[in-house]
């Protein structure tokens, strides 16, 4: 675990991703301060969408990056000589990925919420703090799951570009196809993660209960992670 | 095994290959490879391209799985209980230095230290960089390094945690002559620090300068192993140069041809033989018995390069005949 934490700490990519996420959050907050919309829902929906999309993209990329790092940089030998138990290597990477994604999602939600609140107060708009918090923090589970999806596709493709491309195609295209299969429309990855967020925050319409949504989302992640994981454990590595 | 060699204080050899077989599909890369690396020595692993050197190292370190046989570090096969503890005592570079190019040399060493659960102060890590001549570039990204500097940084990585076993694959690749000498001295100093070193290289001069023992592979087989002097002596190269009076040259040539030192030739007025007799005085005595006055006799020691070429050629010929 220490090794993966050290990589996150000393390598620049996580810092740049965090900086981009922080910049997007800040820009949205500044835009709200400048435009001063009179509709209170804007102070919730705009940062909500921004955090949702940016955290999703950032954590997906981070998941791909950490799972492909040793393949891309030719450092597999140093990772596996330090920890030859491959299951431990992957478990450590996955845990670090999920924890970092959770921290990033929470930090982005907290920062966006704070800025939105500030902007609303400056504009003299009365804001429902509960709604704002539910909307923003409701994105965190999706961010965590996106990191797992990125991790899985990264492990499968063993390349950053391939992992990101597969992740985006899965979410934006493949998931859509599944929704056309009769009986599965409420069990797509998108539907289940949406239900999970809504279930946690108690907002929006849900088709599945919280437990089903949670287990279903985890099942999707496991399905995506498993092939690359098995390949990593069984194959010769350089 | 290296006959007659002892490993004081250690029954378990640091590195041991025992009947190791590795196949990729139908292609056999290692075919029953067996040898041991004695503790506290620098052993050169030699062989032509495709001999299986890097594959042997990868199997040893658990990166690739053996098809059959064993590759052990301190008595542990990859995947066996305790293997994790022993690999942490191993510093490696296989083929190219495993560096994170977007991180500085110092950060690379910090990550390595964290990976093997070793707490090291930056001063200690900088001291390692100093040993490989990179102290002044400690904070520069390794992606900006020249090939030689990356090689040095890779060696620095291998030295983090004071490893008891160091496995180096072509450590002087890309180094200038000065850097080569520095790395050579560094490798030479490893046994003094208690480290056993397996050095894989194509540079035979480097092996002659740094290694105590040599293991020669070809086609996944072990061709020969032993001390540097023994391996060189096992090759038929070498020979003697004999100077006699010009009018006795033909008689001397005929006589020497009967002494089992190969087909003698006349070169620049001297007789040369392709092989050196066990006891060169047989030539002296034979010539004296025929009344041939010996003006001079020089034995020529084969170089490792000659021995390498001779031994690999001999193995190729044997394989071809067997096939």
């Amino acid at each position: 675990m220490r090794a993966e934490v050290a990589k996150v700490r000393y390598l620049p990519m996580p810092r740049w991703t965090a900086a981009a996420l922080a910049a997007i959050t800040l820009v949205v907050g500044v835009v709200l301060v400048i435009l001063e919309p009179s509709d209170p829902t804007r102070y919730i929906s705009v940062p909500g969408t921004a955090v949702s999309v940016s955290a999703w993209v950032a954590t997906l990329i981070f998941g791909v990056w950490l799972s492909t790092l040793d393949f891309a940089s030719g450092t597999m030998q140093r990772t596996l000589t330090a920890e030859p138990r491959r299951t431990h290597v992957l478990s450590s990477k996955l845990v670090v990925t999920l924890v970092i994604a959770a921290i990033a999602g929470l930090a982005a939600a907290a920062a966006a919420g704070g800025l939105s609140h500030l902007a609303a107060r400056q504009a003299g708009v009365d804001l429902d703090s509960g709604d704002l918090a539910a909307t923003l923090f409701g994105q965190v589970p999706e961010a965590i799951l996106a990191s797992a999806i990125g991790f899985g596709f990264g492990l499968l493709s063993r390349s950053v570009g391939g992992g990101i491309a597969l992740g985006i195609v899965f979410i934006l295209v493949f998931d859509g196809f599944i929704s056309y299969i009769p009986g599965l429309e409420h069990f797509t990855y998108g539907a289940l993660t949406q239900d999970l967020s809504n279930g946690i925050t108690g907002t929006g319409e849900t088709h599945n209960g919280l437990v089903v949504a949670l287990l279903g989302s985890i099942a999707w992640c496991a399905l995506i992670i498993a092939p690359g994981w098995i390949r990593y454990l069984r194959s010769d590595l350089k | 095994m290296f006959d007659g060699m002892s490993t004081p204080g250690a029954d378990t050899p640091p590195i041991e290959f025992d009947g190791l077989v590795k196949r990729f599909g139908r292609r056999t890369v290692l075919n029953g490879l067996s040898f041991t690396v004695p503790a506290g020595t620098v052993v050169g692993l030699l062989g032509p391209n495709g001999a299986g050197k890097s594959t042997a190292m990868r199997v040893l370190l658990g990166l690739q799985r053996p098809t059959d046989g064993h590759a052990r570090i301190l008595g542990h096969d990859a995947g066996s209980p305790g293997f994790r503890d022993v690999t942490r005592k191993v510093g490696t570079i296989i083929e190219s230095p495993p560096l994170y190019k977007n991180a500085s040399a110092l950060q690379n060493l910090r990550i390595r230290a964290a990976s093997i659960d070793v707490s090291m102060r930056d001063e200690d890590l900088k001291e390692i960089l100093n040993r490989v001549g990179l102290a002044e570039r400690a904070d520069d990204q390794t992606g900006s390094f020249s090939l030689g500097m990356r090689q040095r940084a890779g060696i620095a990585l291998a030295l983090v945690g004071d490893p008891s076993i160091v496995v180096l694959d072509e450590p002087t690749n890309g180094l200038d002559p000065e850097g080569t000498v520095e790395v050579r001295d560094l490798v030479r100093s490893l046994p003094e620090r208690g480290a056993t070193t397996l050095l894989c290289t194509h540079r035979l001069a480097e092996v002659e300068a740094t290694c105590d023992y040599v293991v020669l592979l070809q086609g996944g087989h072990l061709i020969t192993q032993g001390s540097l002097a023994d391996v060189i002596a096992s090759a038929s190269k070498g020979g003697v140069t004999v100077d006699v009076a010009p009018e006795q040259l033909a008689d001397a040539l005929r006589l020497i041809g009967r002494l089992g030192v190969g087909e003698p030739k006349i070169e620049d007025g001297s007789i040369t033989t392709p092989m050196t007799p066990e006891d060169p005085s047989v030539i002296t005595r034979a010539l004296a018995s025929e009344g041939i006055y010996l003006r001079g006799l020089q034995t020529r020691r084969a170089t490792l390069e000659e021995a390498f070429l001779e031994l690999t050629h001999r193995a190729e010929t044997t394989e071809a005949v067997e096939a």
Side-chain angles (χ1 to χ4, degrees):
Chain A
M1 191 78 78
R2 271 186 72 194
E4 301 309 319
V5 172
K7 288 171 195 172
V8 172
R9 184 177 167 196
Y10 294 120
L11 298 179
M13 194 278 180
R15 285 200 296 275
W16 283 109
T17 309
L21 188 57
I24 291 167
T25 308
L26 188 67
V27 165
V28 170
V30 169
V31 166
L32 286 174
V33 168
I34 293 169
L35 296 180
E36 294 188 345
S38 54
D39 180 0
T41 59
R42 296 276 174 159
Y43 291 92
I44 297 173
S45 63
V46 172
T49 305
V51 167
S52 169
V53 174
S54 57
W56 180 83
V57 172
T59 54
L60 177 92
I61 290 173
F62 178 75
V64 172
W65 173 78
L66 196 56
S67 65
T68 59
L69 177 63
D70 292 321
F71 293 108
S73 56
T75 52
M76 192 61 73
Q77 57 174 283
R78 65 186 275 186
T79 296
L80 287 181
T81 51
E83 178 50 274
R85 296 171 301 181
R86 297 184 185 187
T87 306
H88 280 67
V89 172
L90 290 184
S91 305
S92 300
K93 281 180 182 288
L94 184 57
V95 168
V96 169
T97 298
L98 298 176
V99 169
I100 297 287
I103 292 170
L106 288 169
L115 286 169
S116 191
H117 210 80
L118 209 68
R121 200 164 62 184
Q122 192 173 313
V125 174
D126 193 21
L127 197 61
D128 184 334
S129 298
D131 266 1
L132 177 65
T135 301
L136 292 173
F137 288 101
Q139 313 302 327
V140 176
E142 286 194 44
I144 296 170
L145 291 167
S147 73
I149 295 291
F151 184 88
F153 282 124
L155 210 51
L156 189 65
S157 66
R158 298 184 174 182
S159 84
V160 176
I164 293 172
L166 284 173
I168 289 171
V169 167
F170 170 73
I171 306 260
L172 300 182
V173 182
F174 184 72
D175 206 43
F177 286 152
I178 294 173
S179 70
Y180 289 113
I181 300 172
L184 289 183
E185 60 269 29
H186 299 312
F187 298 99
T188 63
Y189 171 79
L192 287 163
T193 53
Q194 188 63 56
D195 283 353
L196 182 64
S197 288
N198 291 347
I200 289 171
T201 58
T203 58
E205 188 187 347
T206 58
H207 297 282
N208 298 292
L210 188 60
V211 174
V212 172
L214 178 66
L215 293 177
S217 300
I218 292 172
W220 269 113
C221 292
L223 197 68
I224 289 163
I225 291 171
W229 190 293
I230 293 166
R231 188 179 170 210
Y232 186 92
L233 295 187
R234 291 188 174 175
S235 63
D236 287 336
L237 299 169
K238 284 197 170 183
Chain B
M1 316 275 172
F2 298 108
D3 294 336
M5 281 183 39
S6 62
T7 53
D11 294 333
T12 310
I15 296 173
E16 181 186 11
F17 293 92
D18 180 11
L20 183 64
V21 176
K22 177 65 184 172
R23 290 193 195 98
F24 295 101
R26 289 181 179 177
R27 194 164 56 92
T28 302
V29 176
L30 295 171
N31 196 357
L33 181 65
S34 298
F35 69 90
T36 336
V37 175
T41 58
V42 181
V43 173
L45 184 58
L46 301 177
N49 288 337
K53 306 182 294 291
S54 296
T55 303
M57 290 189 177
R58 286 203 195 95
V59 174
L60 179 73
L61 296 168
L63 299 171
Q64 296 183 338
R65 301 187 198 287
T67 306
D68 198 6
H70 301 276
R72 299 187 186 99
I73 300 175
L74 295 169
H76 293 275
D77 278 294
S80 67
F83 185 68
R84 172 178 175 257
D85 294 330
V86 298
T87 56
R88 290 180 173 209
K89 295 174 186 164
V90 182
T92 61
I93 306 182
I94 298 180
E95 289 186 343
S96 57
L99 297 166
Y100 296 108
K101 295 180 180 65
N102 291 328
S104 71
L106 184 61
Q107 286 171 329
N108 264 284
L109 265 56
R110 283 179 186 150
I111 294 170
R112 172 68 184 162
S115 302
I116 55 174
D117 281 331
V118 170
S119 294
M120 291 183 80
R121 296 172 307 151
D122 278 358
E123 288 72 29
D124 298 328
L125 296 174
K126 283 179 180 170
E127 175 50 33
I128 295 174
L129 289 171
N130 191 39
R131 283 175 67 193
V132 297
L134 281 179
E136 288 179 6
R137 302 292 301 269
D139 296 318
D140 293 350
Q141 285 197 352
T142 56
S144 69
F145 283 5
S146 67
L147 181 61
M149 289 165 70
R150 284 205 295 274
Q151 207 68 31
R152 288 163 192 246
I155 293 170
L157 263 186
L159 298 178
V160 171
D162 228 355
S164 58
I165 297 170
V166 179
V167 178
L168 300 173
D169 191 359
E170 303 290 355
T172 55
N173 247 1
L175 292 179
D176 54 22
E178 195 183 342
T180 302
V181 171
E182 282 172 17
V183 169
R184 195 180 289 169
D185 291 345
L186 190 71
V187 172
R188 198 56 263 178
S189 72
L190 290 172
E192 292 163 23
R193 303 170 73 93
T196 302
T197 306
L198 182 60
L199 176 69
C200 179
T201 180
H202 287 103
R203 296 189 180 194
L204 301 177
E206 194 172 298
V207 172
E208 284 190 290
T210 54
C211 296
D212 306 301
Y213 300 96
V214 175
V215 175
L216 185 55
L217 306 187
Q218 187 174 27
H221 292 284
L222 176 76
I223 296 179
T224 189
Q225 61 176 335
S227 71
L228 199 58
D230 287 347
V231 168
I232 290 172
S234 70
S236 65
K237 288 283 180 185
V240 293
T241 303
V242 180
D243 284 314
V244 296
E247 62 274 17
Q248 294 183 310
L249 209 53
D251 291 339
L253 185 71
R254 209 175 313 113
L255 186 60
I256 291 169
R258 288 188 230 128
L259 297 177
V261 288
E263 187 79 21
K265 286 188 294 190
I266 297 174
E267 285 178 358
D268 300 330
S270 299
I271 298 168
T272 59
T273 69
M275 292 160 67
T276 307
E278 291 268 324
D279 177 10
S281 68
V282 294
I283 295 176
T284 318
R285 286 199 301 272
L287 292 175
S289 68
E290 293 292 322
I292 298 171
Y293 174 66
L294 181 65
R295 286 179 170 175
L297 186 146
Q298 283 182 315
T299 56
R300 191 170 60 81
R301 182 178 177 269
T303 62
L304 180 60
E305 186 176 71
E306 286 170 330
F308 177 86
L309 292 172
E310 168 66 18
L311 290 167
T312 52
H313 177 71
R314 202 189 291 169
E316 260 174 29
T317 311
T318 310
E319 269 179 30
V321 168
E322 283 172 0

